Amino acid sequence: MRLILLGPPGAGKGTQSARLEKKFGIPQLSTGDMLRAAVKAGTPVGLKAKAVMESGGLVSDEIVVGIIADRIGEADCAKGFILDGFPRTVAQAKALDAMLTHKGMKLDAVVELVVDEKALVARMENRVKETLAAGGTVRADDNPEAFAKRLSQYREQTAPVSGHYKSVGELRTVDGMAAIDDVTAQLDKVLAR
């Protein structure tokens, strides 16, 4: 199962990715984790990324897709993978599509968790209250201002990725506002097609 999970911050992608990892025995791939691992391992693509990062620049789509290409060639990805947080732009989606085609692979599904942004803000505020009540530490970006900024960036840069996959007939959607188990059941249904 080669899968992309789309949706704004707080939509539940991480929760559902963990469940899908267990169900299918495939890894959830984080571009940030892969980037750090490639740099640490000193791979050719990792060395390119390191040079860019050390100069304070943003790692190019070409480098990120190269790191993904290397990573999906590893043994634990033989049965597939879950991309959560990538692609972030239509250009990245097209580069990913081209790389997969070059490797003779294709995506099995692109699923968007559709959510109500106002309800997401309320969900985030409730998570902060619950975390504080339990004596936990709140993430720095779990405040209304930072969350609104993340949602705005998502709308501008990443939401068009859904349109890209819809235009090529690959997008499936589930109601991300449902209860966690219900979202899982919807995912099971759309992935069984």
Side-chain angles (χ1 to χ4, degrees), residues 32-128:
D33 291 347
M34 287 186 286
L35 199 55
R36 287 183 286 280
V39 168
K40 185 176 181 182
T43 66
V45 176
L47 294 173
K48 284 183 190 175
K50 182 179 180 182
V52 172
M53 290 164 37
E54 285 178 350
S55 70
L58 291 174
V59 178
S60 70
D61 293 349
E62 177 187 346
I63 292 173
V64 174
V65 171
I67 287 171
I68 292 170
D70 288 350
R71 179 66 181 88
I72 65 176
E74 294 181 19
D76 66 334
C77 291
K79 293 194 290 182
F81 52 83
I82 304 162
L83 289 174
D84 161 13
F86 186 87
R88 290 187 188 272
T89 65
V90 172
Q92 288 179 350
K94 289 179 178 179
L96 175 66
D97 295 344
M99 179 270 291
L100 290 173
T101 299
H102 179 74
K103 287 182 160 288
M105 298 178 167
K106 69 181 192 78
L107 293 168
D108 293 301
V110 178
V111 181
E112 179 179 16
L113 301 179
V114 179
V115 294
D116 175 277
E117 287 188 10
K118 288 179 183 165
L120 277 186
V121 172
R123 186 186 279 180
M124 180 272 306
E125 290 170 342
N126 190 48
R127 183 173 63 210
V128 168

Side-chain angles (χ1 to χ4, degrees), residues 88-89 149-161:
R88 290 187 188 272
T89 65
K149 185 176 180 180
R150 289 169 58 209
L151 282 175
S152 176
Q153 288 174 334
Y154 175 82
R155 246 182 273 112
E156 291 170 20
Q157 298 175 0
T158 309
V161 172

